[in-house]
Structure formats: structure tokens, C-alpha cells
Amino acid sequence: MSKYRKRERWDAQDVLEEFENWLLRERSVRETTARVYVDQIIGFIGWLPAPVEESLRSLTPGAILEWVDHAARQGLKPSTLRKQLVMLRSFLRFCHRTGRIGQDFAGVVPHAAGWRLSTIPDPVPEGTIQTLLESLDLQAPKGLRDRAILLLLTGLGLRAGEIAALRLSDVGWRTGTLRIRGKGDRADELPLPEEVGRALEDYVVHGRGGRTRFDEVFLTMFEPVRPVASNGISKIVRMACSRAGITEFGPHRLRHTFATGMLASGATLQEVQGLLRHAQLRTTAIYTKVDQARLTQLVPEWPAAAESRWER
């Protein structure tokens, strides 16, 4: 029946499905984004006493703040907590618009503290990527799919959401390019490395099959077949880690590895910025913190350094 039936509380099913439909209809978000919102709000739903509809009707600002405090104590990264709070605000706004809550409590949810560039990216240890790839069964469709996904992460530094959003029409088989649909409906065309292109071709021809109506490149393995969501990409990476017998990590750490590797091989900040599709150079600069020697070499590229020379 519902995709939430087996994994979540039965009495929350209707609320979760209606919230997803509201996101698609009223907020015009992508299907993959809506799924992420719903998955992230499940923690809040599960925390409420059953039945959930009754708990929502009697919800108070104090209860909301109590859950925020509970979430903050789970040891989440500041960026992860911020995302959860953004999604909670959206859910509370939905509850008000649909009459489940008498007031719009979105403003009650505090903003998680965080400072840009305050953390240091943590690339995976040398040899880890090869270990992941060698753990795959390339005689099976799943192995072909997972290899293509891992190479998109490690060879192009794509985000999980960008991989989930890939369409067959985005792959330039003849031109050797890949169109990426990024944040804010931004579209970029990147060169497609040969190894990554071959992995995509092997999956599409031998692993994906032609039995589906979906245009998305990456699909689930079991019936009912559907596109792999952003959180599904994360699960694929973590399962590959488990299969390879290494400590689990998510896809964004492979993006970090790609970026730091590019800098270490001599790429400029501007080149890495273009490959990562960062809107601002300051966002890319966080990767220089991994290698202090490389950071010293990059000082002349930093805008503030140029300004200070003019001031002298």
C-alpha cells in the first residue's frame, strides 16, 4: 500500500503521504527532494505520542522546543541539524495550512548555530576507493549500478542529489559530457571521464534494462522498480563500505576526497570551484585547510590577498 507502511508507524502514514504531496504541489519541489524531507521528518513524527493526528492538534511551542533539544543531543553535525530544522519548519507550516495545527509554529523552531568554513573536510584514507570498487560483483546488475555511482562520486565529485536527478538524456554519449542538475535549478555540463563514461554505459546497457518507463538513470533493483532517491545513494555508499569491511561513511565524504585530490594534484581553486559548481570561491577554499603546504601556494589566488597588495 504505502511506501511508509512497513518502516513507520501506521497512524502516521496519511500525514506523511499528504506532506509529500503538498511539497510537490504547493512548494514545487522535486520528487527526490520531497522524499528527503519526508524521511527527515519521520524522527519528529516518531517522537510524538500516538495517535499522531491528536498529538499534532495539541502541539505546543514547548513540545517543539523539547524535540529540538532532543535532536541537538544526538551528536549530529551542525549542517545536518540545520537541515532537519529547516524541514521541521516546512512540516509545521504544512500542518497549519491543512488545519492540523491552529497556529503556524514554524517561527518557533530556532536556527542551529553554525559557522561557515569552520570544519575541515575529511577525505577517505588512501586505497579506500579501490577497496570499495573491488568489493562489487560486476557480474550482477547491482554491482554495475553501484560502480557507476561510486565513480560519479569519486571521479566527478557529484552530490548524491545530483546523481539521483540524472536523466538518460543528460548523458552525452557522443560528446563525452554530462549535464548536471544542481542546486537552484542550475544546470552545468561537465566533461565525462572515460572510466566514468564506460561504467555508465555498462550499467545502462547490461544492468539497467529497458523494462522501465523512468528516464532517471539509476533505478532500484527490486519491484516495484523506481528511481533511486538521494538518500538511496547514501545507503548504496554505506552498504558498499559494510561489504568491503571498512568504517561506513556517506557520499559527501567522497566529494571531499575528489576536491582535496584535485588540489593536491595541482588544480587551482578556480578549477576546483568550477568542477564542484560552487557559487562562491570561499566555499571551495575550505578544501585548502587539508594541506597547509598547498594552502601557502594558493595564497596568491585568494581574492583578499590581491586586495591587500593593492592597499599597500
Side-chain angles (χ1 to χ4, degrees), residues 181-215:
R181 307 167 193 272
K183 294 181 176 181
D185 293 326
R186 171 177 172 173
D188 294 283
E189 194 167 90
L190 298 180
L192 186 59
E194 183 177 357
E195 184 181 20
V196 182
R198 289 190 182 280
L200 275 172
E201 181 182 10
D202 285 344
Y203 165 61
V204 170
V205 174
H206 303 295
R208 185 180 184 277
R211 56 190 169 76
T212 174
R213 68 185 187 279
F214 296 108
D215 188 39

Side-chain angles (χ1 to χ4, degrees), residues 147-307:
R147 183 172 187 269
I149 288 172
L150 287 172
L151 288 177
L152 284 169
L153 290 164
T154 59
L156 280 173
L158 299 191
R159 301 177 179 94
E162 292 168 343
I163 294 176
L166 277 178
R167 305 291 196 270
L168 292 173
S169 57
D170 291 330
V171 185
W173 301 108
R174 295 182 182 278
T175 59
T177 57
L178 191 67
R179 184 168 61 246
I180 306 300
R181 307 167 193 272
K183 294 181 176 181
D185 293 326
R186 171 177 172 173
D188 294 283
E189 194 167 90
L190 298 180
L192 186 59
E194 183 177 357
E195 184 181 20
V196 182
R198 289 190 182 280
L200 275 172
E201 181 182 10
D202 285 344
Y203 165 61
V204 170
V205 174
H206 303 295
R208 185 180 184 277
R211 56 190 169 76
T212 174
R213 68 185 187 279
F214 296 108
D215 188 39
E216 286 86 353
V217 173
F218 295 106
L219 306 175
T220 58
M221 288 290 108
F222 305 106
E223 298 291 346
V225 173
R226 61 184 183 280
V228 175
S230 178
N231 63 330
I233 301 295
S234 298
K235 291 176 182 176
I236 287 169
V237 174
R238 294 184 187 282
M239 288 178 66
C241 291
S242 177
R243 187 168 50 246
I246 59 181
T247 303
E248 291 186 14
F249 54 77
H252 211 69
R253 195 168 170 197
L254 294 178
R255 179 172 165 86
H256 290 330
T257 305
F258 167 79
T260 53
M262 288 295 295
L263 284 173
S265 66
T268 66
L269 272 176
Q270 288 84 353
E271 288 168 341
V272 177
Q273 177 192 15
L275 288 170
L276 294 180
R277 299 162 313 286
H278 284 156
Q280 297 182 1
L281 190 62
R282 291 180 182 275
T283 306
T284 314
I286 188 174
Y287 294 103
T288 63
K289 298 167 76 173
V290 177
D291 187 342
Q292 291 297 327
R294 181 64 181 144
L295 175 59
T296 302
Q297 298 171 17
L298 289 167
V299 166
E301 301 174 24
W302 186 244
E307 292 170 7

Side-chain angles (χ1 to χ4, degrees), residues 34-243:
R35 289 180 202 139
V36 170
Y37 268 58
V38 171
D39 284 343
Q40 289 295 326
I41 209 64
I42 282 170
F44 177 71
I45 289 284
W47 180 80
L48 294 173
V52 66
E53 292 282 8
E54 185 176 319
S55 290
L56 289 172
R57 282 194 297 272
S58 59
L59 193 63
T60 64
I64 294 170
L65 293 175
E66 185 180 345
W67 182 83
V68 171
D69 180 65
H70 164 76
R73 294 176 184 274
Q74 301 307 303
L76 301 175
K77 288 197 244 180
S79 59
T80 303
L81 180 59
R82 282 199 300 274
K83 289 175 183 176
Q84 284 204 344
L85 297 185
V86 167
M87 295 170 190
L88 177 59
R89 290 187 200 98
S90 183
F91 177 70
L92 292 173
R93 197 169 290 117
F94 151 78
C95 287
H96 174 59
R97 300 275 176 84
T98 56
R100 289 180 168 88
I101 300 176
Q103 296 176 263
D104 186 352
F105 286 147
V108 172
V109 182
H111 292 269
W115 293 266
R116 289 181 63 80
L117 309 183
S118 62
T119 57
I120 297 178
D122 185 19
V124 301
E126 187 176 354
T128 299
I129 293 171
Q130 189 59 34
T131 301
L132 287 177
L133 294 173
E134 289 175 354
S135 73
L136 303 175
D137 178 7
L138 300 186
Q139 301 304 311
K142 184 179 186 302
L144 294 175
R145 182 198 65 182
D146 293 359
R147 183 172 187 269
I149 288 172
L150 287 172
L151 288 177
L152 284 169
L153 290 164
T154 59
L156 280 173
L158 299 191
R159 301 177 179 94
E162 292 168 343
I163 294 176
L166 277 178
R167 305 291 196 270
L168 292 173
S169 57
D170 291 330
V171 185
W173 301 108
R174 295 182 182 278
T175 59
T177 57
L178 191 67
R179 184 168 61 246
I180 306 300
R181 307 167 193 272
K183 294 181 176 181
D185 293 326
R186 171 177 172 173
D188 294 283
E189 194 167 90
L190 298 180
L192 186 59
E194 183 177 357
E195 184 181 20
V196 182
R198 289 190 182 280
L200 275 172
E201 181 182 10
D202 285 344
Y203 165 61
V204 170
V205 174
H206 303 295
R208 185 180 184 277
R211 56 190 169 76
T212 174
R213 68 185 187 279
F214 296 108
D215 188 39
E216 286 86 353
V217 173
F218 295 106
L219 306 175
T220 58
M221 288 290 108
F222 305 106
E223 298 291 346
V225 173
R226 61 184 183 280
V228 175
S230 178
N231 63 330
I233 301 295
S234 298
K235 291 176 182 176
I236 287 169
V237 174
R238 294 184 187 282
M239 288 178 66
C241 291
S242 177
R243 187 168 50 246

